[in-house]
Each structure stands twice: as structure tokens, then as C-alpha cells.
Amino acid sequence: GGGKGGGGKSGGGKGGGGKGAGLVAPSQLSGGGDVLPDAGPPDAGLPALLLHAAVSLVSCCALLVVLLGGAATDDPMARLRRGLMTLVAVLALEGIAHLAVPQPHISVAVVVAASVVLTINPLPGRDGVPGLHMGTAPLLCVGWLWAVGILSLADLERSLYGTPSLRPYHLVVMFLGSVYLCTALERSGFLHTAATRVVSHFGRSPWGLFWALGCFSACLTVLIPDDIVTMTLTPITIRMCQLLALPEVPFLFSQFFAGNIWAVTLVTGNPTNVLLAEDLGDTFVSFAARMGVPGVAAGLVSFALMYITNRTKVDVRADPTGREAGLE
């Protein structure tokens, strides 16, 4: 107050800008003069950003070449060692780039790409040595994100426990329970028996089998998650089509479409439904009241579309030479 010269007083300083001991940047001042938290490291500039992106791109390409370029006859342990060394090199290079030019979004993209590649092209382990696959690669990448400071312990805890309206571990428990249920159904012979009954009743008519598979998948998916239904019924569908010399693709699409679309009807049909129900505060009954009519309408429309798109593909048989001929 009562400043002298061009800029008044600032702390102990006088004159044009005052002395630096008490200076506070304008961006750090709020209405009452309070100092705001640091906004983070300064912008490194476009050249540094491009350099970081180039290093990340080269490391990801190297990982792809090493994982996808090896011969199928290579020793599994040799492929695992090569893949592990490449992954370590990629994470080390990305760590150096992140420390030099912090760009968290690029670093996260790199580890996500590495996890996806190792999920699609896993490297199995042997003799008690764990491999690199969907169960290990994401954990390693998350650990790396924590080690370089992109994720904090609070972030990791929040990702597991969520918020009062959204609990991710509820989804995991539901999915594991559904997997156990479907495994028990398969081991008990229920699915095989059900598939045999479907063939015996509808196998004389390809269209009958087509609609039976669609309805069977739709009924199952409103009770258990559609992913489990699809994974369980796919091998059975393929086997039935092989036994009846029918093309597999239309019947698989019948199962896929029905399983995914009818899953919106009840909260148990899809893991996403569980997240939405928790966030909206819905119970099983209230979710069914909210989504029952839209789910049934969408399911019926999907049946009509399946007929339109497959009307020339279902009523055919494949002969041993691979040609298809119309049924008499």
C-alpha cells in the first residue's frame, strides 16, 4: 500500500518492481492474495514434446517387432526372455523420457499399448516362471506408473475402492462369480445337454436352429453376464454347425447379437449395468423397470435385423469340398 515509484512496494522492495524476496507471481494470487498451489512443471515446448513422442513411438515399435517377429518354433523360454528384456528396455526408455520431459499422457499411452500387445500376443511361462500376459503385464505397467510418480498410492487405492456411489471391486466379484457359475454349468454337463436338446428339436431346420440359438442366448444373458454366455456358447455353436454341415458365421452372429443386446434388460446381464445401477442407486427391480421395455424392444429389432442380414446365408449346407449348396 502507498506504493512509491512505478510499481509500489512488494514485501521489502521499492521502486519499479520491488525486491524479489517478497514477490509473488500474479498467477499465484487469488482475490484475497492467497497463494495457489503450484500448477506443475513449466511447458517444455514443442521440440521436447516431439522428442518424447518419437522415443515412445520407437520403443513401442521395437516391442511389436520383438513380440510379433519371432518364429512360432522358437523356444518358449527364449521368447519370454526376449519379450521381458524388451519390455524392461521400453519402460526404462520411457522412464528417462518422462524424467527429462514429463508428459504423463504419452507415458500412459505407452504402457497401455504394451499391455494390449501382451494381452493379444501373450508369452506363456514354464517351470514355475510366470509369463507375460493379461494377468501380469498390466500389473507391471501399473507398478511402473507408480514408480515414476504418474500414479500415487492414493490413486491406486481410489481405483480399487472407488467412491461411495461406484465400487469397482463389486464388478470384479460379480464377474468372478459368473465365471464360476458358468464353469460349474459346463462341468456338470448342463450346457452340453441343452445344446443336444436344441439340435434334436430344431436341427432339422436351419432357421429353427438359428432362432433357437438366439433365444437361448437371450434368455441366458439376462441372468448372467453376456461375456460369459458368449465364451461358453461359442464352441458349442461351432460344434453343432460342424455336425450339421452348416455355415458357422450366421449362427455365431445370432448368438452374439442376442447375447449383447438383450443384456441391457436386467442388471445382471452386463458388468456395465452394475456400474450404472450403483451410480444411479438402482436396485434389481428398479433397473428392470427402467430398462425392461427398451431392452425387449431392442432385442426384437435385433432379431428382425438378423433375419434381414442373414436371410441368404442360413439355409445352406457346406459340402466336404467347402462349396455351399441350397437345402432341398
Side-chain angles (χ1 to χ4, degrees):
K4 297 180 180 180
K9 295 182 179 180
S10 178
K14 298 180 180 180
K19 294 184 179 179
L23 286 177
V24 177
S27 61
Q28 292 179 304
L29 293 178
S30 63
D34 298 328
V35 178
L36 298 177
D38 187 9
D43 188 8
L46 182 60
L49 174 63
L50 294 178
L51 179 61
H52 188 162
V55 171
S56 302
L57 182 61
V58 170
S59 61
C60 288
C61 290
L63 180 63
L64 281 174
V65 170
V66 170
L67 292 180
L68 303 180
T73 57
D74 288 352
D75 178 50
M77 289 303 298
R79 294 184 67 236
L80 177 60
R81 285 194 297 268
R82 187 166 61 243
L84 182 59
M85 292 174 60
T86 306
L87 180 61
V88 170
V90 168
L91 295 180
L93 284 175
E94 185 58 35
I96 295 173
H98 176 73
L99 292 177
V101 186
Q103 297 293 334
H105 54 285
I106 296 180
S107 300
V108 171
V110 169
V111 296
V112 168
S115 299
V116 171
V117 169
L118 289 169
T119 298
I120 298 174
N121 190 57
L123 300 175
R126 289 182 60 184
D127 302 328
V129 179
L132 288 174
H133 43 72
M134 67 172 64
T136 56
L139 293 178
L140 290 175
C141 292
V142 170
W144 179 86
L145 290 174
W146 170 76
V148 299
I150 296 178
L151 290 179
S152 65
L153 290 177
D155 294 328
L156 297 177
E157 181 180 358
R158 186 167 58 252
S159 66
L160 290 175
Y161 292 100
T163 62
S165 62
L166 185 62
R167 299 293 186 185
Y169 61 86
H170 289 177
L171 179 64
V172 175
V173 171
M174 174 196 170
F175 192 81
L176 291 178
S178 301
V179 170
Y180 177 81
L181 175 61
C182 289
T183 302
L185 290 175
E186 185 177 6
R187 293 289 181 87
S188 66
F190 170 80
L191 295 176
H192 177 77
T193 302
T196 303
R197 296 289 180 87
V198 169
V199 172
S200 62
H201 284 82
F202 303 100
R204 297 180 179 273
S205 168
W207 277 110
L209 181 61
F210 181 83
W211 295 122
L213 280 174
C215 293
F216 186 52
S217 178
C219 291
L220 284 180
T221 198
V222 298
L223 300 176
I224 53 181
D226 55 346
D227 299 325
I228 308 300
V229 173
T230 300
M231 289 187 294
T232 305
L233 291 184
T234 295
I236 298 175
T237 302
I238 293 175
R239 183 57 180 162
M240 286 192 300
C241 292
Q242 290 174 346
L243 292 175
L244 298 173
L246 293 171
E248 296 93 345
V249 174
F251 297 89
L252 289 173
F253 272 107
S254 170
Q255 170 201 322
F256 295 160
F257 273 84
N260 281 275
I261 294 176
W262 285 85
V264 304
T265 308
L266 297 181
V267 69
T268 53
N270 192 291
T272 308
N273 297 356
V274 179
L275 297 179
L276 291 174
E278 287 194 349
D279 189 54
L280 297 174
D282 275 337
T283 63
F284 184 89
V285 176
S286 62
F287 187 91
R290 182 194 300 268
M291 293 301 300
V293 174
V296 172
L300 295 177
V301 171
S302 72
F303 280 158
L305 293 177
M306 284 191 292
Y307 172 76
I308 294 173
T309 56
N310 294 284
R311 63 185 182 276
T312 61
K313 304 174 184 178
V314 172
D315 200 9
V316 295
R317 289 189 185 273
D319 61 16
T321 62
R323 296 187 299 270
E324 292 181 344
L327 281 175
E328 296 181 357

